[in-house]
Amino acid sequence: MDTADDSSLGPLTDDVPSTGFLDDGKNTIGSQLASRLREAIISGELEAGSKINLDKARKTFNVSLSPLREGLARLISDGLVEFQDNRGYRVAPISLANLEEVTTLREELEVFALRESMRLGDVEWEGNIMRALHRLNRTERDAARPETLEHWEALHREFHLTLISGCGKPLLLHFCSLLLNLNDRYRRVFLIRTSGDRNVGQEHSEIAQGAVARDVDYACEKLRQHIHRTGTNLRNHLATKGIA
Amino acid sequence: MDTADDSSLGPLTDDVPSTGFLDDGKNTIGSQLASRLREAIISGELEAGSKINLDKARKTFNVSLSPLREGLARLISDGLVEFQDNRGYRVAPISLANLEEVTTLREELEVFALRESMRLGDVEWEGNIMRALHRLNRTERDAARPETLEHWEALHREFHLTLISGCGKPLLLHFCSLLLNLNDRYRRVFLIRTSGDRNVGQEHSEIAQGAVARDVDYACEKLRQHIHRTGTNLRNHLATKGIA
DNA sequence: ACTATCAAAATAATCGATTATTTGTCAAGC
DNA sequence: GCTTGACAAATAATCGATTATTTTGATAGT
């Protein structure tokens, strides 16, 4: 299956409530497409490894080639799309090796970023963590309703990024954000619910509390374990469900 | 100065010897532009922080908007160009903070990648290192002739990438390559020659020999120091010459 | 049968023109 | 004198059509 169906990939619409101001940088068609495509890829709506036919995509999204290429170009930076001259674009494939690399690098980079955040972060950073944690833990994840999954994913991502947001290193944050994207794709494709032996909510709480208490070793180790467990979990699912 | 002069940024020409085969992926105008722009930015030909006027660039390079945007989009992935919706592109600015982050992250990531390479690399990897080292050390760097600088830079970059090429982690290599790009820009803009108290050639030799001898602690420490010294060096030049 | 070759179809890349947005300027009003 | 608003110029984004490349499929030769 090369192209996605139209279920939720219909023509671009102005579903933004149009608050009138607060330019969040989603103005151009290219930007909107990038967001929609990113979501489509991370959610698994666009199959990993599949070719992206420009002509079909153009019709699906009701846009011209220029913004379509624009949007796709951005997803290349995110590692979600691959490109080859004269051969076009394809959704980045998933693989066991890639999953393991993503996990390993998250352990290295995200933990390092947390360490730096704990060294440099201020009170506002602490407050942001507690808020993100609260919002995340108050949100239920119901496998039956996809929209709750999507919402939980957004808050989960927000929590992890907030945790390391105090590190004062834009490039590092960019790398971590990218790895988180790749990681989330595996979860959303393979993991309907976490395995029973984990209390993910508590894991998040421990990390957050260690962080604001500036207990560096504790918080970093908890985060590392958290990432590692997720990796192991996903690896099992990947092995079970098989990969192409 | 918004646009580069034509000294070496003239219209695109087929200066590739056209070997007839071996497609290295520089076919489209967009690809060629990306290469040329990358070189122009890293070499300092395009001033850091300056706006890139699409219309002027279009005329300078004798191309249409589509491939120009295509090329610029790729440089965004490299961290060499910044973009804002409806405001266009600008050359990524340089700053003390950025230089320090690049140095810190190189210390973290490149050293980690070297460690992994020493754990996983095979004999071919070792051979590639010795070749890259030899070629680098046999190349003189003459501040008077820019083309020798450019050549040395290419070999230097090649050496560092080869060193970590055995790690088996494409994403990590991508991050390191990106950081190396950013780092090289600082060197080419600020550092005509290395300061007298360093024998860079010997530093490279020590790292390489430690690597192939699988003396992990030695090689990693040497690499870390090498990166750190370069950072310190560049920082001094940046402070001396002042930044915008 | 298998492979090589060529033409046609499909697809990607590029162009020139058009539309939309931002930026700069100047005058009117406070 | 300063701000505000309207207009014009500059610039970015998008479109539809054209050109170039790759892929497909049929045919001929071995």
Side-chain angles (χ1 to χ4, degrees):
Chain A
M1 188 175 300
D2 268 1
T3 53
D5 67 341
D6 251 352
S7 58
S8 71
L9 284 176
L12 287 170
T13 52
D14 273 343
D15 49 357
V16 180
S18 179
T19 55
F21 44 94
L22 205 65
D23 186 334
D24 58 350
K26 295 283 172 60
N27 296 303
T28 63
I29 299 178
S31 285
Q32 294 174 260
L33 266 179
S35 296
R36 302 230 350 230
L37 285 166
R38 181 180 296 111
E39 175 59 24
I41 292 173
I42 292 179
S43 72
E45 205 169 337
L46 285 175
E47 192 187 359
S50 66
K51 190 154 181 4
I52 299 172
N53 183 304
L54 290 175
D55 224 36
K56 288 176 187 161
R58 187 177 61 71
K59 283 163 187 159
T60 303
F61 290 105
N62 265 326
V63 297
S64 187
L65 261 359
S66 324
L68 184 55
R69 285 170 152 274
E70 197 87 22
L72 286 167
R74 302 203 197 168
L75 297 188
I76 295 174
S77 320
D78 290 349
L80 294 173
V81 164
E82 293 181 349
F83 172 81
Q84 231 187 334
D85 269 359
N86 287 319
R87 308 254 172 108
Y89 307 82
R90 71 173 53 240
V91 181
I94 59 180
S95 67
L96 185 57
N98 180 252
L99 170 59
E100 288 178 341
E101 185 182 359
V102 168
T103 302
T104 302
L105 292 183
R106 278 190 71 201
E107 285 184 47
E108 287 291 319
L109 297 193
E110 226 171 297
V111 169
F112 175 64
L114 176 59
R115 194 180 301 275
E116 289 293 279
S117 291
M118 291 175 73
R119 190 167 65 83
L120 300 167
D122 56 12
V123 178
E124 195 189 359
W125 167 70
E126 294 177 0
N128 290 338
I129 290 178
M130 297 316 287
R131 177 178 57 194
L133 175 68
H134 183 77
R135 297 211 296 166
L136 175 60
N137 281 345
R138 286 287 217 146
T139 301
E140 278 307 318
R141 214 174 154 204
D142 183 356
R145 285 177 304 162
E147 74 279 8
T148 66
L149 286 181
E150 202 168 311
H151 188 220
W152 187 89
E153 284 291 340
L155 290 175
H156 182 245
R157 173 182 169 79
E158 180 68 21
F159 171 72
H160 274 276
L161 288 178
T162 303
L163 211 48
I164 61 176
S165 66
C167 72
K169 297 183 170 56
L171 280 168
L172 179 57
L173 284 173
H174 176 249
F175 292 158
C176 288
S177 162
L178 196 150
L179 290 169
L180 213 41
N181 259 348
L182 295 177
N183 188 75
D184 288 352
R185 181 159 73 130
Y186 284 97
R187 182 168 45 235
R188 288 181 64 173
V189 171
F190 288 104
L191 217 63
I192 301 306
R193 56 173 163 270
T194 49
S195 67
D197 64 335
R198 288 180 73 191
N199 187 334
V200 179
Q202 188 181 337
E203 287 181 24
H204 290 141
S205 297
E206 288 173 351
I207 297 166
Q209 270 148 26
V212 300
R214 312 278 170 163
D215 189 340
V216 177
D217 291 340
Y218 176 83
C220 288
E221 180 56 20
K222 286 290 179 187
L223 176 59
R224 205 195 56 71
Q225 286 173 4
H226 176 70
I227 294 168
H228 196 83
R229 282 200 198 101
T230 300
T232 305
N233 226 323
L234 286 171
R235 181 145 43 88
N236 291 338
H237 281 264
L238 192 57
T240 303
K241 304 202 176 181
I243 59 178
Chain B
M1 189 175 296
D2 268 0
T3 54
D5 66 341
D6 253 352
S7 58
S8 69
L9 285 175
L12 288 171
T13 51
D14 275 343
D15 49 356
V16 181
S18 179
T19 56
F21 46 94
L22 205 67
D23 186 332
D24 61 347
K26 295 285 173 59
N27 295 304
T28 64
I29 298 179
S31 284
Q32 294 175 260
L33 265 179
S35 296
R36 301 223 358 224
L37 285 166
R38 181 180 296 110
E39 175 59 24
I41 291 173
I42 292 179
S43 72
E45 205 169 336
L46 286 175
E47 192 186 1
S50 66
K51 191 151 180 6
I52 297 173
N53 183 305
L54 290 176
D55 225 35
K56 288 177 188 161
R58 187 177 62 71
K59 283 164 187 158
T60 303
F61 291 104
N62 266 327
V63 296
S64 188
L65 260 359
S66 323
L68 184 56
R69 284 168 154 276
E70 197 87 20
L72 286 167
R74 302 202 197 169
L75 297 188
I76 295 174
S77 319
D78 291 349
L80 294 172
V81 164
E82 293 182 348
F83 172 80
Q84 231 187 335
D85 269 359
N86 288 319
R87 307 251 174 111
Y89 306 82
R90 71 173 53 239
V91 180
I94 59 179
S95 68
L96 186 57
N98 180 252
L99 170 60
E100 287 178 341
E101 185 182 359
V102 168
T103 301
T104 302
L105 292 183
R106 279 190 70 201
E107 286 184 47
E108 287 291 320
L109 297 193
E110 226 170 296
V111 168
F112 175 64
L114 176 59
R115 195 180 301 274
E116 290 292 280
S117 291
M118 292 176 72
R119 191 167 65 84
L120 301 168
D122 54 13
V123 179
E124 196 188 359
W125 166 71
E126 293 178 1
N128 290 338
I129 291 179
M130 297 317 287
R131 177 178 57 193
L133 175 68
H134 183 76
R135 298 211 296 166
L136 176 59
N137 280 346
R138 286 286 216 145
T139 301
E140 277 308 318
R141 215 173 154 205
D142 183 357
R145 285 177 302 161
E147 75 278 8
T148 66
L149 286 180
E150 202 169 310
H151 188 220
W152 188 89
E153 285 290 341
L155 290 175
H156 182 245
R157 175 182 168 78
E158 181 68 19
F159 172 73
H160 274 277
L161 289 179
T162 303
L163 212 48
I164 60 176
S165 65
C167 72
K169 296 185 170 56
L171 280 169
L172 178 58
L173 285 174
H174 177 249
F175 292 158
C176 286
S177 161
L178 196 149
L179 291 169
L180 212 42
N181 259 348
L182 295 176
N183 188 75
D184 289 351
R185 181 158 73 129
Y186 284 98
R187 183 167 43 235
R188 288 181 64 172
V189 171
F190 288 105
L191 217 61
I192 301 307
R193 55 173 164 270
T194 49
S195 69
D197 64 337
R198 289 180 74 192
N199 187 335
V200 179
Q202 188 181 339
E203 287 181 25
H204 290 141
S205 297
E206 287 173 350
I207 298 166
Q209 271 149 26
V212 300
R214 312 278 170 164
D215 189 340
V216 177
D217 290 342
Y218 176 84
C220 287
E221 180 56 19
K222 286 291 179 187
L223 177 59
R224 205 195 56 71
Q225 286 174 3
H226 175 70
I227 294 168
H228 196 83
R229 282 201 197 101
T230 300
T232 305
N233 226 323
L234 286 170
R235 181 147 41 89
N236 291 339
H237 281 264
L238 192 58
T240 303
K241 305 203 178 181
I243 57 178

